[in-house]
Each structure stands twice: as structure tokens, then as C-alpha cells.
Amino acid sequence: MRDIGNIIKVEDLNELGCKAAEIIIYEGQRAIEQNGKYMLALSGGRTPQPIYKLLSSVEYINQLDWTKVFVFFTDERCVPSDHPDSNYGMVKKLLLDYVPVKYVFGMYNGVENPREAALAYNGTIKDVFNLNTNGTPKFDLMLLGLGEDGHVVSIFPGFENIEISNELVVAPFVEKLRSHRISLTFNVINQSKKNLFIISGSKKKNIFYSLSNTDDSKYPIAQINFNRTNSTWILA
Ligand code: 6PG
């Protein structure tokens, strides 16, 4: 078995939510203490929803200075923010509407061409992180889910090598979803200071075990450098 990071096993999604919320808060407190701000990238899907609810609950809400948190998204669907599939809309409804957050950077700005949205987000990241043309951001924490086909963010099987030199954000057309997604690239994920993976269910756990048994896995998620990005896995 190879070392792919710190592994936390939990009983269910509630416990997964608590552990993840604690790690997100701990890393945020540390980043704010060290740099005065917390660069955080949040993902969509079902698994993180209890985490977002917990972060805005009375138990946790005051543990993080949300005025110093910069909220980005790891990937997005090309739908308006009030659409049920919007990651921005989901995170807003469960978390952002309740916390005194000042800096939120949604990925989809309503343009018809998803590639333009990706380019615009590329520019936003460069501005907010104050990067030069070839710079890559270092998020303090990226919260990452996993698909049952091994996709991570919106990089699905077949798009593993989507790394367009200077680009940080891409807009792949995902055949099986018959739609475009907007997604951060592995360029960005592999520079993150900490990647927190949330894994639930036997299919995803099997992918996790295959990743920990071999370093030539074909799943898109295998493109992540787990050691360099100080990975923690919560398995439910
Ligand atoms: C999204 C994602 C995606 C997600 C996985 C797992 O917007 O859908 O960011 O990468 O993390 O598809 O989703 P579930 O948690 O719903 O299984």
C-alpha cells in the first residue's frame, strides 16, 4: 500500500460532515492567523451538503472569521445560480446566505459560451491571487468529492490530460452529461496546500483502495499528487 495521505474512517455522512467541518475550520483559522485570509475552494454534489449546513450552524458559525474567507468553486454546471444544479446556488442556500462572507467568486457568469466563463474565472483567480501570467494559485484548502467513475472536480474519464499550459480553468464538454462543465485543472489542484477528499459509499471507497494500491491508476483522480498536496481522506 502506498502513502496517499491521512485517512479518517467514519460511520456515516453526519460524522463525515463533522470531521470535514472541523478540518475546514482548523485550516482556516491557521491560514487567517498566518496570512490574514483563507483561500478556500468548495465543490458541488451531494456529499458536501451536510458540511455546508454544519458550517453555518450555531455550533460552528463563529469558529471561523468568514469576513476573511475567499470562497471559490472547484467546478460548476453552466446554469443560472437559481437552478437546482448550480453549485453556487447550493452553497449559497446552505452556507453563504448565513455567514458574513464578503468575497465569493462564482464560476458561471451566465455567458452563452462556457469557454468564455472559464477564461473569465481564470482572470478572476489571477487577479485575486495577484498572479503573473504564468502563475498558479495556492489554495489553502480544496474540498474535493469523487464520482463513481473516478472523476474529480469536473474532469471526467477521457479528460485526464486536460492541462492547457497556462490555463487554470477549462470548460470540457462531458458527453455522458450532454453538457459543458467549468472546472479547475490539475495544475491548480496539484498546487493546493491541502486537499480534503470526502468519499462515501462502496464504489468510491473501491476507487480509493485502488489508488492506494497502485500508482498507475487510470481514474482521473489519479492525476492528483496526493503527497504534495497534503491530502486528507474522510471515508464514510
Ligand atoms: C460536482 C462536483 C463533482 C462531485 C462528484 C461527487 O459539481 O458535481 O464538484 O466532482 O464532487 O460528482 O458528487 P456526489 O457527492 O454527489 O457523489
Side-chain angles (χ1 to χ4, degrees):
M1 204 154 154
R2 70 191 183 111
D3 178 14
I4 61 168
N6 180 28
I7 300 159
I8 301 171
K9 292 189 179 167
V10 296
E11 288 301 317
D12 52 35
L13 280 178
N14 286 336
E15 209 188 331
L16 179 148
C18 294
K19 290 279 179 225
E22 281 159 18
I23 293 169
I24 291 168
I25 288 168
Y26 172 80
E27 293 296 334
Q29 290 170 338
R30 217 164 60 142
I32 292 169
E33 202 178 296
Q34 287 172 2
N35 310 314
K37 57 188 174 188
Y38 184 23
M39 308 310 265
L40 176 66
L42 299 176
S43 65
R46 285 178 309 275
T47 319
Q49 295 185 13
I51 308 172
Y52 302 145
K53 275 192 204 152
L54 275 173
L55 286 170
S56 61
S57 69
V58 280
E59 199 184 340
Y60 291 93
I61 194 167
N62 292 322
Q63 293 188 35
L64 192 58
D65 181 353
W66 283 94
T67 63
K68 299 195 167 68
V69 183
F70 288 63
V71 177
F72 289 82
F73 291 80
T74 61
D75 60 319
E76 184 57 284
R77 298 108 198 265
C78 300
V79 292
S81 59
D82 58 356
H83 189 284
D85 289 343
S86 164
N87 287 344
Y88 173 88
M90 179 272 284
V91 178
K92 181 175 183 310
K93 210 162 71 188
L94 299 179
L95 173 63
L96 305 175
D97 278 349
Y98 303 98
V99 293
V101 66
K102 289 192 194 159
Y103 312 105
V104 181
F105 305 95
M107 266 187 151
Y108 182 62
N109 52 9
V111 293
E112 266 185 36
N113 182 347
R115 172 109 190 98
E116 267 177 43
L119 275 174
Y121 210 60
N122 198 67
T124 302
I125 292 178
K126 293 220 158 142
D127 284 351
V128 179
F129 280 83
N130 202 12
L131 300 173
N132 61 28
T133 325
N134 297 321
T136 309
K138 279 187 186 302
F139 281 95
D140 291 304
L141 186 140
M142 297 184 81
L143 179 65
L144 298 167
L146 171 65
E148 292 185 347
D149 56 2
H151 78 257
V152 65
V153 293
S154 280
I155 309 292
F156 285 75
F159 287 98
E160 295 83 348
N161 297 319
I162 199 156
E163 268 199 27
I164 308 165
S165 59
N166 293 334
E167 291 193 39
L168 311 174
V169 190
V170 286
F173 181 77
V174 186
E175 195 63 53
K176 74 177 192 188
L177 303 173
R178 308 282 316 138
S179 62
H180 280 92
R181 289 282 186 95
I182 304 168
S183 181
L184 297 182
T185 60
F186 292 119
N187 283 335
V188 180
I189 301 175
N190 280 329
Q191 292 298 325
S192 167
K193 295 184 195 164
K194 180 158 198 76
N195 284 333
L196 176 58
F197 294 96
I198 45 173
I199 310 289
S200 71
S202 57
K203 283 196 182 151
K204 295 183 188 180
K205 280 198 254 185
N206 285 340
I207 296 177
F208 165 80
Y209 291 121
S210 88
L211 292 170
S212 43
N213 284 325
T214 169
D215 58 7
D216 71 346
S217 164
K218 299 287 178 282
Y219 294 112
I221 192 174
Q223 300 294 316
I224 299 178
N225 183 328
F226 303 116
N227 293 111
R228 192 212 278 172
T229 55
N230 184 20
S231 299
T232 290
W233 301 79
I234 308 180
L235 305 185

